[in-house]
Amino acid sequence: MQAQYLDGGFADPPRDAAHAFRAALTALSRPGRIETLAGARPPAPASGAAGALLLTLCDATTGLYLAPSHDSDALRGWITFHTGAPFVGPEHAMFALGTWAALQPVTRFPVGTSEYPDRAATLIVEIDTLDNSGAVLTGPGIKDSARLSLPEVAAFRANRRQFPLGFDTYFTCGDRVAGLPRSTRVEEV
């Protein structure tokens, strides 16, 4: 095991994971709301927020797909040491990490079944800009409407049409995260 894999985890794992879990749940339950996720320093190109999500949500039972944009020996070693998550193909992923372009086509990720809609993938999408502009969001967890800078709208509209099936999405940028659950309606500006 190389020393580079040992660094970058939570300094106080129980406390930091609890804070990160709270921020992750808030982001997904309040679509369009941007939260801060700090404490993780994964190898490039993963952001701190993406690293915190991985440390909090992944373990030895959660298959993780790394898109080509993020599939490196350094990141694989870091994830293996800190989470033990097995690396899988997109069709078996519970979580997937990468840029939006590298995760395409998103139709290959699990969307759950009618008996178990919770057995769907959660995408962690690294984006260059994360702010409250762009697409209009409505639905559960949103009082009237919210806005979020999304990489595209069509895929999320198609995902919503599958509800209660479909994937959930976290968008990360630096130490910031926003969530977009499959139940959210997405409209062009």
Side-chain angles (χ1 to χ4, degrees):
M1 179 71 48
Q2 296 183 16
Q4 68 180 355
Y5 304 153
L6 308 179
D7 294 331
F10 289 142
D12 184 358
R15 184 179 313 263
D16 293 343
H19 289 290
F21 189 68
R22 173 67 181 232
L25 286 180
T26 300
L28 208 53
S29 65
R30 304 250 185 250
R33 182 173 172 164
I34 298 172
E35 296 287 322
T36 300
L37 273 178
R41 292 177 279 96
S47 68
L53 286 172
L54 294 174
L55 292 176
T56 304
L57 302 175
C58 293
D59 62 24
T61 66
T62 53
L64 174 65
Y65 172 71
L66 290 179
S69 63
H70 283 66
D71 195 357
S72 69
D73 289 340
L75 189 55
R76 279 180 176 262
W78 186 85
I79 290 167
T80 299
F81 176 76
H82 288 283
T83 72
F87 298 102
V88 298
E91 64 281 351
H92 299 293
M94 293 182 75
F95 292 93
L97 172 65
T99 63
W100 183 248
L103 289 168
Q104 297 306 309
V106 293
T107 54
R108 60 193 171 146
F109 293 104
V111 295
T113 66
S114 57
E115 295 84 17
Y116 299 101
D118 59 316
R119 294 185 181 167
T122 298
L123 308 183
I124 302 170
V125 180
E126 299 263 48
I127 56 179
D128 294 331
T129 303
L130 182 60
D131 57 37
N132 295 113
S133 66
V136 176
L137 314 178
T138 58
I142 303 169
K143 184 174 181 181
D144 294 316
S145 67
R147 294 183 72 171
L148 192 62
S149 53
L150 300 177
E152 75 168 270
V153 170
F156 299 105
R157 292 181 78 184
N159 189 51
R160 169 66 174 99
R161 286 192 294 272
Q162 299 181 81
F163 186 80
L165 305 181
F167 56 83
D168 296 313
T169 309
Y170 284 107
F171 297 98
T172 57
C173 181
D175 67 350
R176 299 163 26 118
V177 64
L180 187 66
R182 64 190 93 169
S183 59
T184 303
R185 288 181 293 281
V186 179
E187 299 295 330
E188 289 277 2
V189 178

